[in-house]
Amino acid sequence: MNSQAINRRVLSIQSHVVFGYVGNKSATFPLQVLGFEVDAINSVQFSNHTGYDVFKGQVLQEKELADLFEGLEKNNLLDNYSHLLTGYIGNASFLRQVAQILKKLRQANANLIYVCDPVMGDDGTMYVPKELLPIYRDEIIPLADIITPNQYEVELLTERKINTEADIWAAVEWFHERNIDTVAISSSDLGKPGELRAFISKKNGPRFAINIPRQGVNISFTGTGDLFASLFLAHSYETTDLGIALEKTIASLQAVIKRTLEMMPTNMREGKCKVTSKERELKLIQSKDVIENPSVVLKAEQIL
């Protein structure tokens, strides 16, 4: 097989929505724009994300995941993949099946990179079954090359509260002790007022932090963590400089949010009326240019 054929192909296992952008819908287009083939397996398929008043759909079970993967395996397609990316998964047996899939992918390609976004919750709220937590912590996390949790997910996994930057770096070490090469904490509330702060660390390597201005008036966006994981997968594959990878990831993420806000009705954007779930959907297609060519404004700070 031509070595170029396996350079940029991602098997992405996470949620799917018919309308809107979360999970695979949030990750696939940016990866494709950045030159990656993406083969998606949906852990759930819903009409829309769960922030709407109503959602309908199906949760896939481990047998369905195993059947889909077996089809790839029987056709000798596993050595095509450069990456495995996982995001939202809704049940324990499905999550455990991911470990078996990863084992076979690494047998086919020893250089495969596993990017794990341990999607469990945010802002103090856990929105997956509690039995997934010990499976992530004890069985899945130690298999990852790159992990992209938010602050709350870090707290869940490490069983320690994050109050200071020292707490962040102690948590980072917890992951490195489990042989995770790169820890990218996508967001935390440790920034200055009006800012989030993201952190990145390579085992036995450099550490960086970056301050991210909050955009919108008390507007929260769904799918940004999924977008972060996909962008970081792509940019960290392009360069060995993790500071640059983080800067480009945040640049595109901020630009997508900015464009999403610009396309909202003015009264919503200014906080004069309630922002609907529909209007908060990320404007990914309209942001193709800023995904493909991120303009870096926010610089990462190297932490000694």
Side-chain angles (χ1 to χ4, degrees):
M1 177 179 292
N2 185 332
S3 62
Q4 293 299 312
I6 63 170
N7 270 350
R8 295 168 175 267
R9 195 175 200 105
V10 180
L11 181 61
S12 180
I13 304 175
Q14 48 188 317
S15 61
H16 169 77
V17 289
V18 177
F19 183 91
Y21 292 94
V22 298
N24 273 326
K25 284 284 291 288
S26 188
T28 299
F29 178 72
L31 283 167
Q32 290 172 330
V33 165
L34 291 169
F36 288 77
E37 295 280 1
V38 183
D39 297 338
I41 295 178
N42 302 323
S43 58
V44 303
Q45 50 183 16
F46 291 155
S47 55
N48 42 265
H49 71 67
T50 58
Y52 285 77
D53 292 338
V54 174
F55 69 93
K56 296 286 186 178
Q58 300 82 38
V59 177
L60 272 72
Q61 303 301 314
E62 71 279 6
K63 184 182 184 305
E64 293 160 313
L65 173 59
D67 285 347
L68 289 169
F69 187 77
E70 184 181 2
L72 299 174
E73 185 179 17
K74 294 292 187 185
N75 285 299
N76 299 313
L77 298 174
L78 301 191
D79 61 354
N80 283 276
Y81 294 106
S82 60
H83 293 78
L84 172 65
L85 171 64
T86 60
Y88 178 89
I89 289 170
N91 71 68
S93 55
F94 191 103
L95 181 57
R96 283 200 165 101
Q97 190 67 37
V98 167
Q100 300 305 311
I101 284 173
L102 177 60
K103 180 180 179 181
K104 291 186 176 182
L105 287 172
R106 282 185 168 152
Q107 287 172 348
N109 174 16
N111 296 317
L112 180 116
I113 298 169
Y114 175 29
V115 180
C116 176
D117 185 10
V119 178
M120 290 183 286
D122 202 0
D123 296 325
T125 301
M126 195 170 180
Y127 43 65
V128 298
K130 287 183 169 51
E131 59 263 29
L132 266 65
L133 174 56
I135 299 172
Y136 267 118
R137 185 184 61 235
D138 302 330
E139 302 175 36
I140 302 298
I141 294 300
L143 302 175
D145 299 292
I146 299 172
I147 185 171
T148 63
N150 59 39
Q151 178 180 334
Y152 178 59
E153 289 157 349
V154 170
E155 292 175 338
L156 287 173
L157 289 165
T158 64
E159 299 178 296
R160 61 185 76 183
K161 191 72 176 169
I162 304 296
N163 295 309
T164 66
E165 201 149 316
D167 295 335
I168 281 282
W169 297 123
V172 163
E173 282 304 312
W174 184 94
F175 289 110
H176 285 322
E177 288 167 2
R178 283 150 182 81
N179 293 318
I180 298 167
D181 182 70
T182 303
V183 181
I185 299 174
S186 59
S187 64
S188 78
D189 57 15
L190 297 180
K192 300 173 185 176
E195 292 182 340
L196 299 170
R197 190 162 166 85
F199 301 89
I200 191 165
S201 174
K202 185 173 180 65
K203 187 178 183 181
N204 301 319
R207 293 175 168 182
F208 297 91
I210 192 167
N211 293 322
I212 311 165
R214 294 178 184 268
Q215 298 189 70
V217 182
N218 297 321
I219 299 174
S220 60
F221 296 92
T222 305
T224 52
D226 309 320
L227 178 57
F228 178 97
S230 65
L231 291 170
F232 187 74
L233 180 158
H235 292 305
S236 63
Y237 198 52
E238 287 282 353
T239 177
T240 58
D241 189 325
L242 289 182
I244 290 175
L246 181 60
E247 288 171 354
K248 288 185 174 182
T249 297
I250 297 301
S252 288
L253 187 57
Q254 285 289 88
V256 169
I257 292 172
K258 182 174 184 287
R259 193 151 294 173
T260 303
L261 285 165
E262 289 171 349
M263 296 183 71
M264 278 185 186
T266 303
N267 57 348
M268 286 187 183
R269 187 169 63 246
E270 294 177 350
K272 295 177 181 176
C273 69
K274 182 181 177 182
V275 181
T276 64
S277 293
K278 178 182 174 182
E279 294 295 343
R280 288 190 288 111
E281 294 284 4
L282 297 176
K283 299 298 186 286
L284 284 186
I285 307 304
Q286 299 86 343
S287 301
K288 177 180 178 293
D289 58 332
V290 295
I291 294 170
E292 194 167 19
N293 296 294
S295 177
V296 173
V297 176
L298 303 173
K299 292 291 187 177
E301 164 197 2
Q302 185 162 356
I303 307 297
L304 301 177

